[in-house]
Amino acid sequence: MAIMLIVKGAGSRGKTSTLKNLIDNLLDGKEPMDREPTTYGDDVLVITERNGMKIGIITLGDPGCTDYVREKVEYCHAKGVDFIVAASRTKYRTDSVYKFLWDYAHEKNYITFETSTIVKYDNWGKHVSADVLNKICAENILNIIDKANEIEK
């Protein structure tokens, strides 16, 4: 079973922070099977294992990075990663990361679905910690990973 979860959202909505929290939760102090930093700031590809599944997390999904994301998704596929979690903006248009992820997953017959981060807007109501919301979202994604065997039923 191959699964792809796309974490989508507009710019600066916590996709990378959420996925870094997910990586921390998955690793829990252990070394990953594979870690590749990018030349795009502090984004990263991490491959680790949980409950007998290989999990790949790609934190970069910005416009203009489609070739990088393609390379990392294909790398995960070639390495037999069972569950890919990838960040993306939300536009399904030519050369977008979002279009690539959906089209690739369809072509390779992945179970594919998407979620978004928990978004807060400053200056609307009381202050809410983005860090706390990103951690909660990461825990939700971890719960999805842990229940992956129930998804295909």
Side-chain angles (χ1 to χ4, degrees):
M1 161 176 55
I3 298 172
M4 183 176 299
L5 172 59
I6 301 166
V7 179
K8 69 174 188 170
S12 300
R13 292 293 184 249
K15 297 176 298 294
T16 297
S17 297
T18 294
L19 294 182
K20 286 184 177 187
N21 278 299
L22 175 62
I23 290 167
D24 290 344
N25 290 344
L26 283 165
L27 295 179
D28 194 26
K30 299 176 293 192
E31 285 297 313
M33 297 169 70
D34 202 343
R35 177 187 295 266
E36 294 187 18
T38 71
T39 56
Y40 300 96
D42 55 346
D43 282 289
V44 67
L45 160 69
V46 168
I47 298 175
T48 190
E49 192 171 44
R50 183 173 176 100
N51 300 329
M53 273 194 320
K54 281 187 184 176
I55 301 156
I57 299 136
I58 304 165
T59 65
L60 183 65
D62 295 333
C65 297
T66 306
D67 289 340
Y68 169 84
V69 174
R70 176 180 292 111
E71 177 186 317
K72 298 312 173 197
V73 167
E74 289 173 348
Y75 179 79
C76 286
H77 184 77
K79 289 281 192 179
V81 170
D82 303 295
F83 200 119
I84 298 172
V85 183
S88 175
R89 299 281 178 92
T90 59
K91 303 289 187 200
Y92 186 89
R93 60 178 142 193
T94 304
D95 294 329
S96 72
V97 170
Y98 189 69
K99 181 180 186 319
F100 163 72
L101 292 170
W102 274 105
D103 291 353
Y104 185 90
H106 176 72
E107 175 189 318
K108 300 294 184 185
N109 201 32
Y110 278 67
I111 295 169
T112 312
F113 48 97
E114 64 183 41
T115 191
S116 60
T117 57
I118 303 170
V119 178
K120 67 152 189 100
Y121 296 99
D122 287 329
N123 303 319
W124 286 83
K126 293 186 176 188
H127 173 75
V128 177
S129 169
D131 291 336
V132 170
L133 295 178
N134 293 336
K135 287 177 183 176
I136 291 168
C137 191
E139 290 169 5
N140 290 339
I141 296 170
L142 184 62
N143 190 39
I144 292 168
I145 291 169
D146 286 342
K147 296 185 184 296
N149 62 341
E150 298 177 29
I151 291 172
E152 197 173 20
K153 293 181 180 180

